[in-house]
Every structure is written in structure tokens, then in C-alpha cells.
Amino acid sequence: MTTPFHQPVDAAEVPRFAGHSTFMRLPAVADATGLDIALVGIPWDGGTTNRAGARHGPREVRNQSSLMRRVHHVTLTEPFSLANVADVGDLSVNPIDLLDGLKRIETGMRAIVDAGAIPLSVGGDHLTTLPVMRAVAAGGPVGMIHFDAHSDTNDTYFGGNPYTHGTPFRRAIEEGLLDPKRTVQIGIRGSIYATDEHDWARAQGIRVIYMEECTRRGIADVMAEARGIAGDGRTYVSFDIDCIDPSMAPGTGTPEIGGFTTREAQALVRELAGVRIVGADVVEVAPPFDVAGMTALAGATILFELLCVIAEGVAARR
Ligand code: MN
Ligand code: MN
């Protein structure tokens, strides 16, 4: 298919391991003007409570994303023909000042949203999703389909600090960015701090689906419920790489055993077809804890899966 849109570098002309590293080997562009979908890095992990390193995620995911090809092998989606996509670089961040870091991420993301592009970002720890939502949900609250081992709806840490990667979705609800009744969390598991840890989320109306329920019901059934919860409205998709089992994605800050396989993770994302996605992210890839780049490769591949469903949506609404 011939289109006027940006195209990846042809691997038959320039090998995958050569040239500048960008997401999917797309052109690096200065801003999101004219793009349908902006691939963007957020190299910031100032909200991490355990092992740090997700600040290095975007660079390694770019590197592994050189392995992505043009066509989805199951759906035959050609995302680069359906939508104009490019790499707009990394947002400005501040590694030594949390509040300024959040402000910079919001400002950078607002420029992408104002340009009319759908942001598809790579973190960064999960607190980065809060300033992203401040930009994406500026016109009204969004729903969310959230893949994670953790609910990330805790209140405060370390003497009342409201901003960590364990709190973004409580803050997003408090700020009116996230509609809890259109929010579903999938793959939640692991030990918790208190018996009532997920009660606040449920009381707001969030549907919390533990990993055990996913195993019992199967992916298609769980995702049919998720699509029903999101409905027809504007929906954000957040993919924390720790929803995947650490045997397949060890490079992350807060690993939890008993997770999805990479194959299940791909199936989950494919089931997003038809959801009105207004922004999405892959977060918590921490290369310092990775083995042979496998977590970054998982992140890059999930990024491609997300790109395919978002591009199909762009084309359907064009
Ligand atoms: Mn998370
Ligand atoms: Mn998590």
C-alpha cells in the first residue's frame, strides 16, 4: 500500500542494527504536527519506590523495536499505511525534582495532544501516566483499560507523599482525569500491604480483575468484559510490563511472579480492537535488570501490538 505517511527504514536497504535508533525505525520528527500517532519516550523514574531504572526504558525499547516489521502477522494490519506515525523523541524531564518532572511531562504531552496526535508513549515508571493523563484528559475524564500486577491506587508513601508509581490512578481519579466506572484493571496479583488495599479502588467503581480470574475465565472473556466497561467513550490504555511474568520480563522495578506470558499479553492487546483509544503507554521497562534485552523486546512488541489497534481505529474514524 502506498501512502504519503512516514515509513520505517527498509530493512532490505539498511540492516536493522544500523542507523539512528528510533521507535520502529520511523523518522525522528521535531514535533507531532501532521501525525495521527506520536511515539514518544518518557525517560523518568522519579516515582519508583523499589528498584529504579525505568528512566532507561525508552532508549532500550527503541533499540529492540528495530525488530518490528510492517505488517501484523495475524490481523494483517499495516499500521504505517493506515496512520501517519513518527518518533517525536523524548519528553523533557527532570531526574532530581519530582514535581518539576511531572510538570515537564504534562507540558510536553500537551503539545502532542494539541497537535491532534494520539500519544503512544514508553516510560518511565508508572507515575508518568499521571501527567500524561493531565494532558490527554484535559477535555474531560477518560476511561482506562489497565494491564498491571498492581492496582497503583494507593494513597501516600513516605510520610504522606502523594506521588509515587503506586499512586497515579488514585490521583487521576481525585483530579477528575479518570472515570473509575469506566476503568478496569487486569492481571492484578502479588502480596499487598493490607487486607483492604483494593477496597478504595472498588468503592470508586473500578473493576479489579485478579490474575487468578483471568486464568479461570480466559482472555477473550475477560477482554469482552473490559471492552464493555470502557464502552464507546474516550479510553486510555496503560500497559505496565510487570503484568508479564518475570520469567519473561525480568527487567522491571517491582516484579511479581504468576503473571501473563508474552503470548497472553499479545492476545490481550489484540482484544482491544474497537476501543476508542485516545492515548496509550508501555511503562516500567527497567533495562538495568533485564536479561538479553528480553523485557525491552517484550515492551517493543507490545508497543507494536498497541500501534496496530490504534492505527485501525484512526483509519476507521478518518
Ligand atoms: Mn503499574
Ligand atoms: Mn506494576
PDB file of all heavy atoms in Angstrom, residues 125-127 129 146-152 165-166 168-169 238-243 283-284, ligand 1:
ATOM      1  N   ASP A 125       8.601   5.168  34.769  1.00  0.00           N
ATOM      2  CA  ASP A 125       7.805   4.427  35.729  1.00  0.00           C
ATOM      3  C   ASP A 125       6.339   4.829  35.581  1.00  0.00           C
ATOM      4  O   ASP A 125       5.987   5.719  34.810  1.00  0.00           O
ATOM      5  CB  ASP A 125       8.337   4.609  37.159  1.00  0.00           C
ATOM      6  CG  ASP A 125       8.070   5.982  37.748  1.00  0.00           C
ATOM      7  OD1 ASP A 125       6.940   6.502  37.633  1.00  0.00           O
ATOM      8  OD2 ASP A 125       9.009   6.550  38.365  1.00  0.00           O
ATOM      9  N   HIS A 126       5.460   4.159  36.361  1.00  0.00           N
ATOM     10  CA  HIS A 126       4.031   4.328  36.111  1.00  0.00           C
ATOM     11  C   HIS A 126       3.490   5.673  36.576  1.00  0.00           C
ATOM     12  O   HIS A 126       2.397   6.068  36.175  1.00  0.00           O
ATOM     13  CB  HIS A 126       3.232   3.169  36.729  1.00  0.00           C
ATOM     14  CG  HIS A 126       2.135   2.703  35.835  1.00  0.00           C
ATOM     15  ND1 HIS A 126       1.605   1.431  35.862  1.00  0.00           N
ATOM     16  CD2 HIS A 126       1.442   3.368  34.856  1.00  0.00           C
ATOM     17  CE1 HIS A 126       0.655   1.340  34.949  1.00  0.00           C
ATOM     18  NE2 HIS A 126       0.534   2.494  34.331  1.00  0.00           N
ATOM     19  N   LEU A 127       4.266   6.398  37.390  1.00  0.00           N
ATOM     20  CA  LEU A 127       3.793   7.742  37.757  1.00  0.00           C
ATOM     21  C   LEU A 127       3.748   8.653  36.524  1.00  0.00           C
ATOM     22  O   LEU A 127       2.984   9.624  36.504  1.00  0.00           O
ATOM     23  CB  LEU A 127       4.689   8.347  38.847  1.00  0.00           C
ATOM     24  CG  LEU A 127       4.282   9.728  39.375  1.00  0.00           C
ATOM     25  CD1 LEU A 127       2.849   9.736  39.901  1.00  0.00           C
ATOM     26  CD2 LEU A 127       5.246  10.193  40.463  1.00  0.00           C
ATOM     27  N   THR A 129       2.276   8.191  33.914  1.00  0.00           N
ATOM     28  CA  THR A 129       0.934   8.178  33.320  1.00  0.00           C
ATOM     29  C   THR A 129       0.059   9.297  33.899  1.00  0.00           C
ATOM     30  O   THR A 129      -0.862   9.769  33.226  1.00  0.00           O
ATOM     31  CB  THR A 129       0.273   6.800  33.525  1.00  0.00           C
ATOM     32  OG1 THR A 129       1.132   5.804  32.970  1.00  0.00           O
ATOM     33  CG2 THR A 129      -1.078   6.707  32.823  1.00  0.00           C
ATOM     34  N   HIS A 146      -6.314  -1.152  31.932  1.00  0.00           N
ATOM     35  CA  HIS A 146      -5.030  -1.099  32.624  1.00  0.00           C
ATOM     36  C   HIS A 146      -4.530  -2.518  32.878  1.00  0.00           C
ATOM     37  O   HIS A 146      -5.188  -3.285  33.575  1.00  0.00           O
ATOM     38  CB  HIS A 146      -5.256  -0.324  33.936  1.00  0.00           C
ATOM     39  CG  HIS A 146      -4.098  -0.316  34.887  1.00  0.00           C
ATOM     40  ND1 HIS A 146      -4.248  -0.090  36.246  1.00  0.00           N
ATOM     41  CD2 HIS A 146      -2.766  -0.498  34.698  1.00  0.00           C
ATOM     42  CE1 HIS A 146      -3.084  -0.128  36.841  1.00  0.00           C
ATOM     43  NE2 HIS A 146      -2.168  -0.381  35.934  1.00  0.00           N
ATOM     44  N   PHE A 147      -3.385  -2.844  32.295  1.00  0.00           N
ATOM     45  CA  PHE A 147      -2.758  -4.155  32.496  1.00  0.00           C
ATOM     46  C   PHE A 147      -1.593  -3.980  33.472  1.00  0.00           C
ATOM     47  O   PHE A 147      -0.667  -3.191  33.220  1.00  0.00           O
ATOM     48  CB  PHE A 147      -2.244  -4.706  31.167  1.00  0.00           C
ATOM     49  CG  PHE A 147      -3.294  -4.788  30.093  1.00  0.00           C
ATOM     50  CD1 PHE A 147      -3.376  -3.825  29.098  1.00  0.00           C
ATOM     51  CD2 PHE A 147      -4.214  -5.830  30.079  1.00  0.00           C
ATOM     52  CE1 PHE A 147      -4.344  -3.895  28.104  1.00  0.00           C
ATOM     53  CE2 PHE A 147      -5.187  -5.911  29.091  1.00  0.00           C
ATOM     54  CZ  PHE A 147      -5.259  -4.939  28.100  1.00  0.00           C
ATOM     55  N   ASP A 148      -1.613  -4.717  34.559  1.00  0.00           N
ATOM     56  CA  ASP A 148      -0.621  -4.481  35.610  1.00  0.00           C
ATOM     57  C   ASP A 148      -0.706  -5.599  36.643  1.00  0.00           C
ATOM     58  O   ASP A 148      -1.756  -6.229  36.802  1.00  0.00           O
ATOM     59  CB  ASP A 148      -0.932  -3.128  36.292  1.00  0.00           C
ATOM     60  CG  ASP A 148       0.277  -2.476  36.956  1.00  0.00           C
ATOM     61  OD1 ASP A 148       1.109  -3.194  37.535  1.00  0.00           O
ATOM     62  OD2 ASP A 148       0.353  -1.241  36.909  1.00  0.00           O
ATOM     63  N   ALA A 149       0.396  -5.842  37.364  1.00  0.00           N
ATOM     64  CA  ALA A 149       0.322  -6.692  38.554  1.00  0.00           C
ATOM     65  C   ALA A 149      -0.237  -5.914  39.743  1.00  0.00           C
ATOM     66  O   ALA A 149      -0.656  -6.508  40.732  1.00  0.00           O
ATOM     67  CB  ALA A 149       1.702  -7.241  38.901  1.00  0.00           C
ATOM     68  N   HIS A 150      -0.214  -4.588  39.617  1.00  0.00           N
ATOM     69  CA  HIS A 150      -0.550  -3.722  40.754  1.00  0.00           C
ATOM     70  C   HIS A 150      -1.661  -2.750  40.385  1.00  0.00           C
ATOM     71  O   HIS A 150      -1.717  -2.269  39.251  1.00  0.00           O
ATOM     72  CB  HIS A 150       0.697  -2.931  41.187  1.00  0.00           C
ATOM     73  CG  HIS A 150       1.925  -3.785  41.303  1.00  0.00           C
ATOM     74  ND1 HIS A 150       2.875  -3.840  40.311  1.00  0.00           N
ATOM     75  CD2 HIS A 150       2.324  -4.628  42.281  1.00  0.00           C
ATOM     76  CE1 HIS A 150       3.835  -4.695  40.668  1.00  0.00           C
ATOM     77  NE2 HIS A 150       3.531  -5.189  41.861  1.00  0.00           N
ATOM     78  N   SER A 151      -2.479  -2.421  41.354  1.00  0.00           N
ATOM     79  CA  SER A 151      -3.597  -1.500  41.117  1.00  0.00           C
ATOM     80  C   SER A 151      -3.130  -0.047  40.997  1.00  0.00           C
ATOM     81  O   SER A 151      -3.770   0.770  40.335  1.00  0.00           O
ATOM     82  CB  SER A 151      -4.613  -1.636  42.259  1.00  0.00           C
ATOM     83  OG  SER A 151      -5.599  -0.648  42.191  1.00  0.00           O
ATOM     84  N   ASP A 152      -2.032   0.285  41.663  1.00  0.00           N
ATOM     85  CA  ASP A 152      -1.479   1.651  41.617  1.00  0.00           C
ATOM     86  C   ASP A 152      -2.494   2.696  42.062  1.00  0.00           C
ATOM     87  O   ASP A 152      -2.537   3.823  41.544  1.00  0.00           O
ATOM     88  CB  ASP A 152      -0.931   1.985  40.216  1.00  0.00           C
ATOM     89  CG  ASP A 152       0.265   1.116  39.832  1.00  0.00           C
ATOM     90  OD1 ASP A 152       0.829   0.448  40.722  1.00  0.00           O
ATOM     91  OD2 ASP A 152       0.627   1.104  38.643  1.00  0.00           O
ATOM     92  N   HIS A 165       4.940   5.747  41.952  1.00  0.00           N
ATOM     93  CA  HIS A 165       4.355   4.900  40.901  1.00  0.00           C
ATOM     94  C   HIS A 165       3.321   3.920  41.470  1.00  0.00           C
ATOM     95  O   HIS A 165       2.748   3.146  40.708  1.00  0.00           O
ATOM     96  CB  HIS A 165       5.436   4.194  40.071  1.00  0.00           C
ATOM     97  CG  HIS A 165       6.205   3.120  40.807  1.00  0.00           C
ATOM     98  ND1 HIS A 165       6.946   2.163  40.163  1.00  0.00           N
ATOM     99  CD2 HIS A 165       6.356   2.889  42.148  1.00  0.00           C
ATOM    100  CE1 HIS A 165       7.504   1.358  41.060  1.00  0.00           C
ATOM    101  NE2 HIS A 165       7.175   1.785  42.265  1.00  0.00           N
ATOM    102  N   GLY A 166       3.077   3.986  42.773  1.00  0.00           N
ATOM    103  CA  GLY A 166       1.994   3.206  43.368  1.00  0.00           C
ATOM    104  C   GLY A 166       0.709   3.999  43.568  1.00  0.00           C
ATOM    105  O   GLY A 166      -0.262   3.465  44.107  1.00  0.00           O
ATOM    106  N   PRO A 168      -0.614   6.642  40.994  1.00  0.00           N
ATOM    107  CA  PRO A 168      -1.076   7.547  39.919  1.00  0.00           C
ATOM    108  C   PRO A 168      -2.582   7.520  39.691  1.00  0.00           C
ATOM    109  O   PRO A 168      -3.172   8.569  39.384  1.00  0.00           O
ATOM    110  CB  PRO A 168      -0.332   7.041  38.672  1.00  0.00           C
ATOM    111  CG  PRO A 168       0.008   5.622  38.982  1.00  0.00           C
ATOM    112  CD  PRO A 168       0.301   5.625  40.457  1.00  0.00           C
ATOM    113  N   PHE A 169      -3.226   6.360  39.857  1.00  0.00           N
ATOM    114  CA  PHE A 169      -4.634   6.295  39.462  1.00  0.00           C
ATOM    115  C   PHE A 169      -5.563   6.787  40.563  1.00  0.00           C
ATOM    116  O   PHE A 169      -6.676   7.213  40.273  1.00  0.00           O
ATOM    117  CB  PHE A 169      -4.966   4.897  38.941  1.00  0.00           C
ATOM    118  CG  PHE A 169      -4.071   4.551  37.775  1.00  0.00           C
ATOM    119  CD1 PHE A 169      -3.226   3.464  37.814  1.00  0.00           C
ATOM    120  CD2 PHE A 169      -4.019   5.398  36.673  1.00  0.00           C
ATOM    121  CE1 PHE A 169      -2.358   3.197  36.757  1.00  0.00           C
ATOM    122  CE2 PHE A 169      -3.150   5.154  35.610  1.00  0.00           C
ATOM    123  CZ  PHE A 169      -2.321   4.035  35.650  1.00  0.00           C
ATOM    124  N   SER A 238      -3.152   1.560  29.478  1.00  0.00           N
ATOM    125  CA  SER A 238      -1.870   1.606  30.164  1.00  0.00           C
ATOM    126  C   SER A 238      -1.366   0.188  30.391  1.00  0.00           C
ATOM    127  O   SER A 238      -2.051  -0.639  31.001  1.00  0.00           O
ATOM    128  CB  SER A 238      -2.006   2.348  31.500  1.00  0.00           C
ATOM    129  OG  SER A 238      -0.724   2.724  31.977  1.00  0.00           O
ATOM    130  N   PHE A 239      -0.165  -0.075  29.890  1.00  0.00           N
ATOM    131  CA  PHE A 239       0.406  -1.430  29.949  1.00  0.00           C
ATOM    132  C   PHE A 239       1.682  -1.396  30.776  1.00  0.00           C
ATOM    133  O   PHE A 239       2.731  -0.951  30.319  1.00  0.00           O
ATOM    134  CB  PHE A 239       0.700  -1.948  28.531  1.00  0.00           C
ATOM    135  CG  PHE A 239       1.038  -3.408  28.479  1.00  0.00           C
ATOM    136  CD1 PHE A 239       0.082  -4.348  28.131  1.00  0.00           C
ATOM    137  CD2 PHE A 239       2.316  -3.853  28.811  1.00  0.00           C
ATOM    138  CE1 PHE A 239       0.395  -5.710  28.111  1.00  0.00           C
ATOM    139  CE2 PHE A 239       2.626  -5.210  28.797  1.00  0.00           C
ATOM    140  CZ  PHE A 239       1.665  -6.132  28.433  1.00  0.00           C
ATOM    141  N   ASP A 240       1.573  -1.837  32.021  1.00  0.00           N
ATOM    142  CA  ASP A 240       2.746  -1.986  32.895  1.00  0.00           C
ATOM    143  C   ASP A 240       3.378  -3.330  32.566  1.00  0.00           C
ATOM    144  O   ASP A 240       2.728  -4.374  32.682  1.00  0.00           O
ATOM    145  CB  ASP A 240       2.287  -1.913  34.359  1.00  0.00           C
ATOM    146  CG  ASP A 240       3.448  -1.936  35.345  1.00  0.00           C
ATOM    147  OD1 ASP A 240       4.484  -2.564  35.064  1.00  0.00           O
ATOM    148  OD2 ASP A 240       3.292  -1.340  36.440  1.00  0.00           O
ATOM    149  N   ILE A 241       4.656  -3.306  32.178  1.00  0.00           N
ATOM    150  CA  ILE A 241       5.324  -4.534  31.721  1.00  0.00           C
ATOM    151  C   ILE A 241       5.350  -5.595  32.822  1.00  0.00           C
ATOM    152  O   ILE A 241       5.480  -6.785  32.539  1.00  0.00           O
ATOM    153  CB  ILE A 241       6.753  -4.210  31.203  1.00  0.00           C
ATOM    154  CG1 ILE A 241       7.270  -5.299  30.254  1.00  0.00           C
ATOM    155  CG2 ILE A 241       7.728  -4.012  32.354  1.00  0.00           C
ATOM    156  CD1 ILE A 241       6.687  -5.277  28.868  1.00  0.00           C
ATOM    157  N   ASP A 242       5.160  -5.190  34.095  1.00  0.00           N
ATOM    158  CA  ASP A 242       5.180  -6.196  35.164  1.00  0.00           C
ATOM    159  C   ASP A 242       3.902  -7.024  35.211  1.00  0.00           C
ATOM    160  O   ASP A 242       3.788  -7.945  36.030  1.00  0.00           O
ATOM    161  CB  ASP A 242       5.545  -5.594  36.526  1.00  0.00           C
ATOM    162  CG  ASP A 242       4.475  -4.701  37.140  1.00  0.00           C
ATOM    163  OD1 ASP A 242       3.279  -4.882  36.875  1.00  0.00           O
ATOM    164  OD2 ASP A 242       4.867  -3.801  37.926  1.00  0.00           O
ATOM    165  N   CYS A 243       2.942  -6.758  34.326  1.00  0.00           N
ATOM    166  CA  CYS A 243       1.806  -7.690  34.199  1.00  0.00           C
ATOM    167  C   CYS A 243       2.285  -9.004  33.597  1.00  0.00           C
ATOM    168  O   CYS A 243       1.680 -10.047  33.802  1.00  0.00           O
ATOM    169  CB  CYS A 243       0.657  -7.082  33.400  1.00  0.00           C
ATOM    170  SG  CYS A 243       0.864  -7.083  31.616  1.00  0.00           S
ATOM    171  N   VAL A 283       4.937   0.991  30.192  1.00  0.00           N
ATOM    172  CA  VAL A 283       5.758   1.567  31.255  1.00  0.00           C
ATOM    173  C   VAL A 283       6.493   0.485  32.047  1.00  0.00           C
ATOM    174  O   VAL A 283       6.173  -0.704  31.945  1.00  0.00           O
ATOM    175  CB  VAL A 283       4.902   2.424  32.232  1.00  0.00           C
ATOM    176  CG1 VAL A 283       4.292   3.613  31.510  1.00  0.00           C
ATOM    177  CG2 VAL A 283       3.839   1.583  32.914  1.00  0.00           C
ATOM    178  N   GLU A 284       7.450   0.940  32.831  1.00  0.00           N
ATOM    179  CA  GLU A 284       8.171   0.125  33.821  1.00  0.00           C
ATOM    180  C   GLU A 284       9.173  -0.868  33.238  1.00  0.00           C
ATOM    181  O   GLU A 284       9.610  -1.785  33.926  1.00  0.00           O
ATOM    182  CB  GLU A 284       7.198  -0.600  34.777  1.00  0.00           C
ATOM    183  CG  GLU A 284       6.304   0.326  35.595  1.00  0.00           C
ATOM    184  CD  GLU A 284       7.020   1.010  36.779  1.00  0.00           C
ATOM    185  OE1 GLU A 284       8.215   0.730  36.999  1.00  0.00           O
ATOM    186  OE2 GLU A 284       6.356   1.835  37.454  1.00  0.00           O
TER     187      GLU A 284
HETATM  188 MN    MN B   1       1.974  -0.011  37.497  1.00  0.00          MN
END
